[in-house]
Amino acid sequence: MEHDEILFKHQRVLGSLSCLPKKVLAVHNLDNATEFVLHELCNQGCFNLHKAAYFVDNPDFNLFKGVAGFSQAEAYAEWDEVWNNPGAFTSFMQQSDFNQKIRKYCIDSIHRNNRSYDDLITKISHEIGLVDPSYFSWDLKHDNKGLLVYEKNGMDAALFEEHFLNSLYLLSFCPVF
């Protein structure tokens, strides 16, 4: 990849990330604010993922729950309008088969029951159609754990690793309902 192309991609990703906190504040009162953030991170203008599924593991309530899903095949066509028309995006996400499949996913807590993510990742990936899955887990508020299972879509490895994993912590600021 040429140096100018790499710089352009970095600028595009960092531009998207730097605007995200302001955008999150605009939808913080919506039950599905996490869907907005996940879609911003995964769309072609940012990290360009093929699919991503976000889960929260709550050991206190013995619950491992799907929160939001992104599939590029079902991506919102008017991406620039998502933040300007949250009602339309919310309605769209209620019709997204992939997102609804993720939101309905609910099992006993992985951490509370001393299980590992490895077997779960294989199971989830098969159920949601990820071919070459990767995952990242991180600590959330109140001793909860976040888990993102995703499939890359040709993103430059250096750009991806440098910014993507750190940007997932933005999901931690969204309410989980």
Side-chain angles (χ1 to χ4, degrees):
M1 188 178 301
E2 286 187 31
H3 182 69
D4 288 344
E5 186 178 349
I6 291 171
L7 285 176
F8 173 75
K9 286 183 178 184
H10 270 269
Q11 287 176 330
R12 186 183 69 214
V13 167
L14 292 176
S16 180
L17 293 177
S18 68
C19 293
L20 200 49
K22 181 179 178 182
K23 291 176 177 180
V24 171
L25 281 175
V27 298
H28 78 278
N29 60 336
L30 299 177
D31 290 349
N32 66 327
T34 307
E35 293 172 351
F36 286 79
V37 174
L38 183 64
H39 280 65
E40 179 79 19
L41 295 173
C42 296
N43 79 59
Q44 291 177 345
C46 200
F47 291 108
N48 192 27
L49 297 184
H50 180 63
K51 286 185 178 177
Y54 175 50
F55 302 90
V56 171
D57 190 348
N58 184 321
D60 291 337
F61 290 98
N62 194 28
L63 184 69
F64 179 88
K65 174 93 173 91
V67 179
F70 172 87
S71 172
Q72 204 166 80
E74 296 180 11
Y76 194 69
E78 303 295 326
W79 184 251
D80 295 340
E81 292 299 313
V82 166
W83 300 97
N84 296 330
N85 192 347
F89 178 71
T90 297
S91 295
F92 177 83
M93 292 308 298
Q94 291 170 345
Q95 303 304 313
S96 165
D97 291 335
F98 186 78
N99 184 56
Q100 291 307 309
K101 181 185 261 187
I102 302 307
R103 289 182 65 100
K104 290 178 183 173
Y105 198 92
C106 188
I107 60 174
D108 289 343
S109 169
I110 304 306
H111 279 82
R112 180 175 184 164
N113 295 292
N114 297 315
R115 297 186 310 210
S116 77
Y117 282 134
D118 294 331
D119 293 334
L120 179 65
I121 300 305
T122 302
K123 181 181 182 230
I124 289 173
S125 298
H126 177 71
E127 290 175 6
I128 63 176
L130 294 179
V131 178
D132 186 18
S134 297
Y135 75 93
F136 181 69
S137 64
W138 67 100
D139 292 334
L140 300 173
K141 300 182 289 188
H142 311 297
D143 295 322
N144 294 328
K145 307 288 182 197
L147 175 72
L148 189 82
V149 183
Y150 59 95
E151 186 176 314
K152 296 178 186 177
N153 193 23
M155 174 58 75
D156 175 284
L159 175 64
F160 190 84
E161 296 301 324
E162 184 177 350
H163 302 297
F164 180 67
L165 299 179
N166 284 329
S167 70
L168 293 179
Y169 286 87
L170 292 168
L171 292 167
S172 306
F173 294 102
C174 296
V176 178
F177 295 97

